[in-house]
Amino acid sequence: MILGNQLLSILRSLGIHRLCIPRRLRCNYYLPQCIAVNLLLGKYVLCPGGFGDRVITGINELEILMSSSTGSLPCDAYLAKPGNCLVSLDFLINVPEKPHFIIDLSLWSDHTDSEKNELVEQVLASINTVRRYLWDSNLELTSVSEEFLERFSRFARGFRHGVIIKRDKPVVLGNAVVLDPEGDCVLNEELIKGTHTFIIGGIVDKERRVKGETARLYRLLGLNVPRCRIELRGSIIGVPDRINKIIEIILMTLFEVGSIETAIIRAMSKRDRVNRLFYEFQRAAYRLRMEGSTVLAIPKSMISRINWVNATDRELDLVLRKSRIYVIDDEELNKYLSLGVARPGPLTYRYVSKA
C-alpha cells in the first residue's frame, strides 16, 4: 500500500497516465502495491510505450490496462520482463525503514517436525503480509539455522524475495518491543506508532504446550526492551497468535484503520472468533439456580451486543452449543430475576442495555 501510493506519485511525475501490465501478473491485494513489489523483485521493468486491449481499473489519475500485442489502446508505459525491454525507465522507490519486523529463530531446534513446517509456512505468509504494505527488507529473520534454510528453500522453491536473513542474533536499532502474550505491557496505538522494531519469537507450540517460551527467548537474546502483549478488551483470548497475523495487526493499525481493536477483529480467524465468543458468553450469561443446579442463560436481546467480533450465524450457533447456554426471551429472564433465582455473570454488566 505504502509503496503502491509512492509508485502512483512516481508515474505521475514521469507523465504516465496509462500503464499496461501483462496478463500473467496476478495480484490479490492493492494493484499499485503489487506492481511496485514486482518491480523491486526485478521480475519486471518499466518500459515506454506499449498497447493494451482493455482497461482493468482506474486509480487516481492512472488507468491500468491489460497489455496486448494486438491492442489498439496506446499506453504511456508498460511492464515487461527485463530481457524484453530495449530501454527501461529509471526511477527510485524509497522503502521506509520502519516499521521493521524481526522474527528470531533461536528456538527452532525445540520444535517438532510438523511445528517446523508450520513455522516455515508462517514465515512465508509473513513475507506476503509485509508486501501488502511495505517491502521484504522490512522483515528480518535472525538466528537462522541451516535446517531452517533448507526447509525454507524446499517450501519456497522458485520464490524470489528480498528478506534480510542472518545467522546471528538480532541487532536492535531504534525503539523496539518484543511481542509476548505474557508480556507486562499492553501494545496500543501510541506504542505502535512510536516503535521502530517489533521482535517476534519464531515459536509454534501446536504439539507442545509450553508457557514462557517468549520470555525464555528474551533472556537468551539478552534483550532489554519492553515485552508487550496484544490484548482485545482486556484479554488475549481470541487474539490471533500466528506470526503473520501479528504482523498484519500492526501494519493494519498503522496504515489502514488506526485502531488496534479493529485490526485484531479483522485479522481473527473462525477459531479465534469462536474462542473469544465462548469466553464472552460464559462470563456474560446469567446464572439460573434450577432444581439444585445452576445453568447459564442469555436473553435474545443480548446476543447481538456480545457479538462485537462479527461472527457469522453458524459460528454463533457453534458457540452456544459448545457453551451449553440457553437462549431465553427477555420476559422469561425478568421473571427469573423477580423470583431471585437469576444473578448476572462477571461480564453481564457490559452487555445489559442502558436504555
Side-chain angles (χ1 to χ4, degrees):
M1 175 182 290
I2 304 305
L3 303 188
N5 290 336
Q6 192 181 138
L7 178 65
L8 290 176
S9 297
I10 291 169
L11 294 177
R12 279 197 301 271
S13 70
L14 293 172
I16 296 170
H17 301 287
R18 262 190 175 181
L19 176 66
C20 284
I21 65 172
R23 296 178 188 277
R24 68 179 71 91
L25 179 60
R26 296 284 183 267
C27 294
N28 58 1
Y29 51 94
Y30 185 50
L31 186 53
Q33 176 75 15
C34 186
I35 293 169
V37 166
N38 276 274
L39 288 167
L40 284 169
L41 285 170
K43 289 185 175 181
Y44 298 100
V45 291
L46 191 64
C47 315
F51 287 88
D53 58 8
R54 63 184 176 88
V55 176
I56 300 172
T57 187
I59 302 171
N60 294 341
E61 300 172 19
L62 179 71
E63 268 190 334
I64 301 177
L65 289 74
M66 187 70 73
S67 287
S68 173
S69 57
T70 59
S72 59
L73 300 173
C75 287
D76 300 315
Y78 67 100
L79 297 185
K81 294 290 184 182
N84 297 335
C85 182
L86 293 175
V87 180
S88 60
L89 300 171
D90 292 328
F91 59 92
L92 179 65
I93 295 178
N94 293 310
V95 180
E97 289 186 3
K98 58 173 283 194
H100 188 69
F101 297 94
I102 295 176
I103 302 173
D104 186 82
L105 298 158
S106 293
L107 302 183
W108 167 263
S109 60
D110 293 352
H111 292 77
T112 66
D113 189 67
S114 64
E115 286 174 341
K116 288 176 178 177
N117 289 337
E118 172 70 19
L119 183 46
V120 172
E121 288 178 4
Q122 289 190 27
V123 168
L124 286 168
S126 297
I127 297 172
N128 286 322
T129 297
V130 168
R131 285 180 177 179
R132 289 176 177 268
Y133 301 87
L134 298 164
W135 165 239
D136 295 17
S137 60
N138 292 99
L139 179 62
E140 181 178 346
L141 309 180
T142 57
S143 308
V144 173
S145 67
E146 195 63 43
E147 184 189 7
F148 171 82
L149 289 175
E150 187 277 325
R151 290 197 189 218
F152 183 84
S153 298
R154 192 170 72 241
F155 273 67
R157 200 177 303 279
F159 179 68
R160 195 181 302 186
H161 68 85
V163 173
I164 301 166
I165 297 180
K166 295 180 179 177
R167 295 181 183 273
D168 298 330
K169 293 179 181 179
V171 176
V172 180
L173 302 174
N175 293 335
V177 299
V178 170
L179 298 173
D180 181 352
E182 299 172 76
D184 50 12
C185 77
V186 178
L187 195 71
N188 57 30
E189 293 85 355
E190 185 178 352
L191 264 172
I192 289 175
K193 289 176 185 175
T195 298
H196 181 282
T197 302
F198 297 89
I199 304 168
I200 305 168
I203 300 167
V204 171
D205 60 353
K206 301 301 181 187
E207 297 180 2
R208 307 160 301 119
R209 288 298 173 187
V210 185
K211 294 197 92 179
E213 285 288 83
T214 306
R216 181 161 76 94
L217 177 68
Y218 183 89
R219 293 190 296 270
L220 184 66
L221 296 177
L223 296 171
N224 186 27
V225 299
R227 288 168 48 215
C228 297
R229 64 189 183 274
I230 300 176
E231 277 190 359
L232 181 59
R233 298 196 183 184
S235 173
I236 65 169
I237 293 174
V239 175
D241 59 0
R242 286 176 59 91
I243 296 168
N244 55 295
K245 287 292 185 177
I246 293 169
I247 293 173
E248 181 183 351
I249 288 166
I250 292 167
L251 290 173
M252 196 187 303
T253 301
L254 271 175
F255 299 123
E256 282 194 72
V257 296
S259 159
I260 191 169
E261 177 174 309
T262 303
I264 293 169
I265 292 171
R266 286 198 189 180
M268 291 171 90
S269 65
K270 173 186 174 181
R271 186 193 63 154
D272 296 326
R273 288 191 295 272
V274 167
N275 286 343
R276 185 53 188 251
L277 275 179
F278 186 83
Y279 171 86
E280 295 291 327
F281 271 109
Q282 286 280 337
R283 285 154 183 77
Y286 285 88
R287 277 65 176 153
L288 306 183
R289 294 193 304 276
M290 308 287 286
E291 299 177 355
S293 63
T294 300
V295 298
L296 302 181
I298 289 278
K300 290 178 182 176
S301 62
M302 196 183 285
I303 291 177
S304 61
R305 292 194 288 273
I306 297 174
N307 185 25
W308 46 266
V309 298
N310 302 323
T312 65
D313 289 342
R314 292 184 68 176
E315 290 165 358
L316 278 171
D317 290 341
L318 175 62
V319 171
L320 290 170
R321 287 200 312 273
K322 259 182 86 174
S323 57
R324 297 183 179 179
I325 292 175
Y326 294 95
V327 178
I328 60 178
D329 292 327
D330 288 49
E331 294 78 9
E332 188 176 357
L333 172 65
N334 290 334
K335 181 183 74 174
Y336 292 136
L337 288 170
S338 65
L339 292 172
V341 297
R343 60 183 176 83
L347 295 185
T348 307
Y349 71 94
R350 289 186 181 178
Y351 302 110
V352 174
S353 174
K354 303 298 190 293

